[in-house]
Amino acid sequence: MGFFDSEIVQQEAQSLFTDYQNLVQLGSEFGKFDREGKKMYIQQMEGVMDRYKIFMKRFELSDDFMAQMAVEQMKTQLGQFGMTPQQMFDQMNMTLERMKAQIPD
């Protein structure tokens, strides 16, 4: 069975995509959230980023040709912006850290 033939892989990919898109939409209202809402949003986004890192690591470790092609495609796409996958995750983390700094004590 190929990497993408797995129902679990398909479900997680769909779940990650949906969760991330929903959080990005919700994030446009971040400045209007109260303190607890901001903390909850950041926590949820960190959870999605952790899931995404694990998902990508599965791609990298797979010997499936299509999984390897997906990794290379992602590297190529990010490379067009002068980024590596690690730099992308680092940038996301920096953004979340800036958001945390906006939360009053």
Side-chain angles (χ1 to χ4, degrees), residues 13-68:
Q14 182 61 44
S15 175
L16 268 172
F17 179 76
T18 301
D19 292 349
Y20 180 75
Q21 291 298 331
N22 289 338
L23 282 171
V24 168
Q25 275 187 321
L26 187 62
S28 67
E29 301 292 320
F30 184 80
K32 297 178 184 177
F33 296 166
D34 65 11
R35 183 177 185 279
E36 292 305 310
K38 288 178 181 182
K39 287 169 64 176
M40 187 181 303
Y41 176 84
I42 291 167
Q43 186 178 39
Q44 288 180 3
M45 186 59 92
E46 287 173 333
V48 168
M49 291 300 105
D50 287 343
R51 287 171 47 210
Y52 190 60
K53 286 178 190 176
I54 292 167
F55 195 71
M56 289 309 301
K57 187 54 78 174
R58 288 179 180 157
F59 276 89
E60 292 171 12
L61 295 175
S62 175
D63 59 359
D64 181 77
F65 176 76
M66 292 304 291
Q68 290 302 309

Side-chain angles (χ1 to χ4, degrees), residues 30-31 38 42 95-105:
F30 184 80
K38 288 178 181 182
I42 291 167
T95 299
L96 290 174
E97 289 302 318
R98 281 194 300 269
M99 292 169 93
K100 285 178 187 178
Q102 294 179 17
I103 299 174
D105 291 330

